[in-house]
Amino acid sequence: MEDNIRIGWLFPDQMNLHGERGNVLALIKALKNQGYSAVTEMTGINDEIEPLKYDVIFCLAGEISRFPMAAEKLKPVVSYLEEFMEKGKPLIVTGTTMGLFGKETVRDDGSVIEGLGILPLVTRERKTIYGDDILSVTHYGGKEMTLSGCQIQTADFDFEEENPFSHMKYGYGDDGVRTSEGFIIENSIFTNTLGPLLAVNPWLCDEVARVILKNRGINEFRETPHTLEEKSLEVKSQFIMGKSSPIRKIE
């Protein structure tokens, strides 16, 4: 390979809650397991953003109060972010930050923050915060896989069109009513599943790494055993599905 895999990490100083930096670290490890190194470029509020130069971009969980700052910085490059996703490159957005990429976020006091308009989404801040486990099923990279994690639901997500990242087996989902969670565009993931997602679910992390390498013209990929993590998922699944909880369980 002519150079390293390039990871773009947007606003790490302003939007980096819940240990979500673990997603970046997990991906670096997955790429290293395949024999490739990665360079992470952390883009702050005063830095120039050039989406198309990256192989993957992270924009991780942040507070709604940070949305205006981030939106002002990203609006000039929305067309490049859309082109980035259309090329099949992964943009990975976690937590409430998903709302930043929608049409608007309605705050608890009724004020409205204009979003980037990439997702067919209206975000509504909750008066109370809901937290619990998540157990879901997703299809990514042509593979079906079970995911575990947690959610800190500070807002409800109302998707006008549905193309869910995953379907709940246990959890609140987007709004506590539908069984869908998040959104997916090509290989880009928008999800309120925390954990961090890629660290807790290394099989998904491997598929993200596979997509990145394939976009670089590299089709050879060594399957990595995750025996301990698979056993952990089995135990967690039994615990989660055995809960006495008002949250629905989809068998």
Side-chain angles (χ1 to χ4, degrees):
M1 181 175 290
E2 59 184 16
D3 53 14
N4 296 321
I5 302 297
R6 303 189 72 175
I7 298 174
W9 184 1
L10 301 180
F11 318 126
D13 293 332
Q14 293 84 15
M15 306 182 79
N16 185 19
L17 299 175
H18 318 308
E20 289 295 279
R21 66 190 290 270
N23 287 303
V24 180
L25 297 174
L27 181 59
I28 292 172
K29 181 180 179 181
L31 290 166
K32 184 177 180 180
N33 287 342
Q34 298 301 319
Y36 300 101
S37 59
V39 171
T40 304
E41 183 175 316
M42 295 184 284
T43 302
I45 191 61
N46 296 317
D47 298 322
E48 183 179 1
I49 298 176
E50 302 177 71
L52 295 176
K53 72 180 183 180
Y54 299 117
D55 296 290
V56 57
I57 296 174
F58 286 93
C59 192
L60 302 175
E63 295 180 354
I64 293 175
S65 61
R66 300 292 188 179
F67 285 11
M69 169 276 298
E72 181 180 1
K73 186 69 177 180
L74 292 176
K75 280 178 181 177
V77 298
V78 163
S79 63
Y80 296 110
L81 288 171
E82 292 175 329
E83 182 180 352
F84 178 92
M85 291 187 289
E86 289 170 1
K87 289 178 178 291
K89 294 184 176 183
L91 169 61
I92 300 175
V93 179
T94 63
T96 308
T97 300
M98 184 162 58
L100 169 66
F101 290 80
K103 293 183 176 181
E104 63 181 24
T105 296
V106 182
R107 300 221 61 180
D108 177 54
D109 61 6
S111 61
V112 176
I113 301 172
E114 183 180 355
L116 301 176
I118 292 174
L119 300 180
L121 167 67
V122 173
T123 302
R124 294 183 174 86
E125 186 177 17
R126 293 172 49 86
K127 292 183 180 296
T128 57
I129 297 174
Y130 178 87
D132 202 351
D133 293 302
I134 281 181
L135 193 66
S136 66
V137 175
T138 189
H139 290 82
Y140 188 86
K143 291 187 176 182
E144 179 179 292
M145 61 192 83
T146 299
L147 306 176
S148 67
C150 63
Q151 61 191 129
I152 301 174
Q153 204 80 17
T154 62
D156 286 338
F157 304 105
D158 182 10
F159 283 101
E160 298 170 3
E161 304 170 21
E162 290 195 4
N163 190 19
F165 165 59
S166 68
H167 293 274
M168 311 305 299
K169 296 182 69 176
Y170 176 96
Y172 186 88
D174 289 324
D175 58 8
V177 178
R178 291 173 293 186
T179 61
S180 58
E181 200 287 314
F183 203 84
I184 190 163
I185 301 176
E186 298 292 342
N187 295 311
S188 292
I189 297 170
F190 301 83
T191 179
N192 194 32
T193 304
L194 307 174
L197 177 68
L198 298 186
V200 174
N201 302 282
W203 32 88
L204 175 61
C205 189
D206 281 351
E207 291 310 307
V208 173
R210 190 196 303 267
V211 164
I212 291 169
L213 294 176
K214 188 175 181 180
N215 286 335
R216 283 289 198 99
I218 302 166
N219 293 311
E220 182 179 349
F221 196 89
R222 297 190 299 275
E223 299 296 335
T224 303
H226 299 294
T227 306
L228 182 62
E229 292 86 350
E230 289 170 357
K231 182 62 178 178
S232 175
L233 176 63
E234 180 182 343
V235 173
K236 286 188 291 185
S237 297
Q238 292 175 355
F239 170 76
I240 291 170
M241 297 303 288
K243 282 186 176 184
S244 297
S245 169
I247 291 294
R248 69 186 167 276
K249 300 169 188 172
I250 297 91
E251 302 293 347

